[in-house]
Amino acid sequence: MPLNDAMITALLFRDDAYLKTASARVLAVHELGIELDRTIFYPMGGGQLGDTGALLRANGERIPILDTRKGDAIDSVRHVPAPGMPQPEIGETLTLEIDWQRRYSLMRLHTALHVMSCVVVAPVSGGNISPDKGRLDFDIDMSLLDAKRIEHETNALIARGVETETVWISDGELDARPELVKTMSVQPPRGAGRVRLLKIPGIDLQPCGGTHVRNISEIGGIRVLKIRSEGKRNKRVEIALA
Ligand SMILES: [Zn+2]
């Protein structure tokens, strides 16, 4: 299938991560998933899992969505339906619903990892966020990681209750400020001309395309589940919401 502008999906979650429902038109249906002209479903990326939920047809049929993945083109999104479900028609209008409880946990944990990355001062060598726990891997000596200290200092920053902001800069501006990129394993996406940053004023500023809470007080607090070595350059800190 040829890729053209019509296959690009407007990413509504980028401007408003709190959208729980929306309507959209079907652009394509193929074995890898359903593509829409706009979506509130976050596709897996940057360590954050893809959203789940459902697409509702006008006739009342419900198509469960088990996962959301990026397509080949920039900003293309594939909504992966449960097997054996009826397929929507091209051009059909659907109502989108995400599993909000799951997504909100991902948003809180994701934002918590931004805060924690400012407590552990070391390059980040990996990360992952699932609904019940999140982790970052650091290139650091084990002896410098203290679970109680990380928990205490992260929670002290969360208690500041700072509003988060989305900031866009050009690729050139990012090149001029390489210190912004903490994560060695995930380079920010290039080629679109601009890069999205998450700013937590006074705490963190780094490229990120994920979904975050509006105010870090929504995280509530975190606890450190475990710290362990995953190799010479990977010391893993795993957290859950308190
Ligand atoms: Zn983020």
Side-chain angles (χ1 to χ4, degrees):
M1 191 178 304
L3 293 169
N4 54 46
D5 288 347
M7 301 302 289
I8 290 175
T9 307
L11 307 180
L12 304 181
F13 57 81
R14 231 182 221 175
D15 294 319
D16 185 357
Y18 287 76
L19 290 172
K20 301 164 187 74
T21 181
S23 67
R25 220 162 38 83
V26 177
L27 295 180
V29 179
H30 48 75
E31 68 279 7
L32 296 171
I34 299 164
E35 297 192 38
L36 305 168
D37 65 344
R38 56 214 292 265
T39 193
I40 54 175
F41 283 75
Y42 179 79
M44 186 173 84
Q48 182 177 331
L49 289 181
D51 280 327
T52 59
L55 305 180
L56 308 179
R57 306 184 80 183
N59 67 7
E61 275 179 350
R62 184 182 181 87
I63 306 170
I65 298 299
L66 304 184
D67 196 3
T68 309
R69 296 297 181 102
K70 288 178 180 165
D72 295 328
I74 286 180
D75 292 356
S76 91
V77 176
R78 293 167 179 161
H79 305 79
V80 182
M85 293 308 297
Q87 296 208 324
E89 306 289 334
I90 309 286
E92 183 177 338
T93 299
L94 300 172
T95 300
L96 287 54
E97 280 181 4
I98 55 169
D99 180 343
W100 172 247
Q101 210 174 7
R102 179 179 179 278
R103 155 70 92 69
Y104 192 51
S105 294
L106 290 167
M107 284 163 55
R108 292 168 70 206
L109 271 166
H110 183 142
T111 311
L113 291 180
H114 279 272
V115 176
M116 189 181 78
S117 77
C118 298
V119 167
V120 180
V121 182
V124 175
S125 50
N128 195 62
I129 305 139
S130 60
D132 58 338
K133 61 189 177 186
R135 63 168 169 85
L136 286 178
D137 296 344
F138 297 97
D139 186 358
I140 194 173
D141 194 273
M142 260 318 240
S143 65
L144 297 173
L145 294 173
D146 175 338
K148 279 283 159 262
R149 185 189 70 82
I150 293 169
E151 200 170 282
H152 179 77
E153 292 185 11
T154 302
N155 285 333
L157 290 175
I158 290 168
R160 287 192 196 171
V162 176
E163 299 278 321
T164 65
E165 296 168 28
T166 298
V167 182
W168 292 89
I169 62 172
S170 69
D171 287 357
E173 285 173 274
L174 184 64
D175 290 336
R177 299 184 64 187
E179 76 280 4
L180 288 177
V181 183
K182 285 183 200 168
T183 308
M184 300 181 293
S185 60
V186 185
Q187 280 294 314
R190 305 269 176 157
R194 56 180 200 154
V195 176
R196 185 178 188 260
L197 306 179
L198 177 74
K199 183 177 183 181
I200 308 178
I203 299 176
D204 190 31
L205 176 66
Q206 63 178 293
C208 189
T211 58
H212 310 98
V213 292
R214 287 190 192 114
N215 188 303
I216 61 172
S217 64
E218 293 176 50
I219 301 166
I222 61 112
R223 60 202 162 87
V224 174
L225 295 176
K226 60 178 115 164
I227 295 178
R228 66 171 181 272
S229 176
E230 290 284 325
K232 195 172 184 314
R233 305 190 74 183
N234 284 49
K235 303 297 181 283
R236 179 162 298 174
V237 181
E238 193 172 81
I239 63 167
L241 296 170

